[in-house]
C-alpha cells in the first residue's frame, strides 16, 4: 500500500464557527478512495488582533526613504511583515498622514505554503508627498497578531519616522524675470 497525497489545500477561515469539509474522492488505476468528512471549529480571533487579522509568528519593520526630501518630492514608506502564518490574509492597521498627500500604494508578497500557513513576507509601499516644510512625522501604528503557539496576542509597538522637508532652492522667491505683472485694463 502507498500513501500518496492527491491534493492539498491551505485554507484561511475568515469568521468563527463550524467549517465542514466534504469528503474528497480519488479515483486511480480502477480504485476509488474517499477521505472522511472533516469538521473544524474555528475560534473567534482575540479582539487585540482584529485590526490586522494576523495569526502566526511575525516580525514587523518600517522605513522611510528619503528622510530629507524637498517640498514636492515623493517619500516612500515601506512596512514589512515577515514570518509564518496567515500572511495571505493579514492587513495593515489604518494609516493616517495628515501632513502628506497619498500618491499611491503597492503590495508585494513572497509566500510559500506550509503546515502552519504561509512563510515569507508581505511588504506595502506607500508613496507620499509632503504638504509643507519642516520636521514632519510619519506614524506607523502598532501591528498586533495572535500567536497560536503562545496562546496570546503579541504586537510590534509601531514607529514614528521624522522627515525633514526643505524648501527647494530658489522656490521661495521668483526671479525678477518670472515675476507676474499686474494686468492693465
Amino acid at each position: 500500500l502507498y500513501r500518496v497525497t492527491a491534493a492539498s489545500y491551505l485554507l484561511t477561515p475568515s469568521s468563527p464557527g463550524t467549517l465542514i469539509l466534504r469528503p474528497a474522492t480519488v479515483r486511480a488505476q480502477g480504485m476509488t478512495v474517499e477521505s472522511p468528512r472533516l469538521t473544524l471549529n474555528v475560534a473567534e480571533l482575540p479582539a487585540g488582533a482584529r485590526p490586522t487579522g494576523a495569526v502566526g509568528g511575525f516580525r514587523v519593520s518600517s522605513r522611510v526613504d528619503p528622510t530629507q526630501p524637498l517640498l514636492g518630492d515623493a517619500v516612500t514608506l515601506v512596512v514589512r511583515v515577515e514570518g509564518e502564518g496567515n500572511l495571505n490574509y493579514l492587513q495593515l492597521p489604518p494609516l493616517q498622514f495628515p501632513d502628506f498627500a497619498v500618491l499611491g500604494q503597492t503590495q508585494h508578497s513572497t509566500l510559500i505554503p506550509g503546515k502552519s500557513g504561509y512563510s515569507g513576507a508581505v511588504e506595502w509601499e506607500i508613496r507620499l508627498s509632503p504638504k509643507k516644510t519642516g520636521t514632519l512625522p510619519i506614524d506607523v501604528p502598532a501591528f498586533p497578531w495572535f500567536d497560536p503557539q503562545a496562546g496570546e496576542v503579541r504586537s510590534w509597538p509601531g514607529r514614528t519616522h521624522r522627515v525633514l522637508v526643505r524648501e527647494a532652492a530658489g522656490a521661495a522667491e521668483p526671479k525678477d524675470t518670472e515675476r507676474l505683472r499686474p494686468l492693465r485694463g
Side-chain angles (χ1 to χ4, degrees):
L1 293 175
Y2 293 97
R3 184 170 233 172
V4 178
T5 302
S8 62
Y9 300 91
L10 189 55
L11 177 68
T12 304
S14 58
S15 60
T18 302
L19 181 64
I20 299 172
L21 300 176
R22 297 182 318 192
T25 303
V26 176
R27 290 180 183 88
Q29 298 180 357
M31 296 175 49
T32 300
V33 177
E34 186 172 281
S35 69
R37 181 175 100 163
L38 184 60
T39 302
L40 302 171
N41 292 316
V42 180
E44 177 115 22
L45 185 65
R50 288 187 194 141
T52 63
V55 178
F58 303 108
R59 292 173 305 284
V60 183
S61 62
S62 68
R63 68 181 189 279
V64 170
D65 187 49
T67 57
Q68 295 186 9
L70 297 176
L71 187 62
D73 285 349
V75 175
T76 301
L77 166 65
V78 177
V79 180
R80 181 178 175 87
V81 179
E82 55 189 315
E84 186 173 30
N86 67 341
L87 285 166
N88 63 317
Y89 185 77
L90 55 84
Q91 300 293 313
L92 275 177
L95 301 171
Q96 295 181 358
F97 309 105
D99 296 324
F100 294 84
V102 178
L103 302 175
Q105 176 176 321
T106 58
Q107 180 178 336
H108 310 279
S109 57
T110 305
L111 304 176
I112 301 167
K115 288 185 178 184
S116 298
Y118 289 96
S119 62
V122 179
E123 194 170 87
W124 292 269
E125 290 183 10
I126 302 140
R127 294 188 44 83
L128 306 167
S129 179
K131 295 178 183 176
K132 60 184 181 180
T133 60
T135 302
L136 306 178
I138 296 177
D139 294 317
V140 181
F143 188 95
W145 67 89
F146 178 68
D147 182 340
Q149 290 184 341
E152 64 186 26
V153 173
R154 298 186 183 231
S155 184
W156 177 70
R159 182 170 179 194
T160 297
H161 297 273
R162 303 263 178 226
V163 176
L164 175 59
V165 180
R166 298 169 288 137
E167 188 76 43
E173 186 66 35
K175 296 179 184 176
D176 286 336
T177 58
E178 297 179 84
R179 289 187 191 271
L180 297 177
R181 296 184 187 164
L183 294 173
R184 295 184 189 186

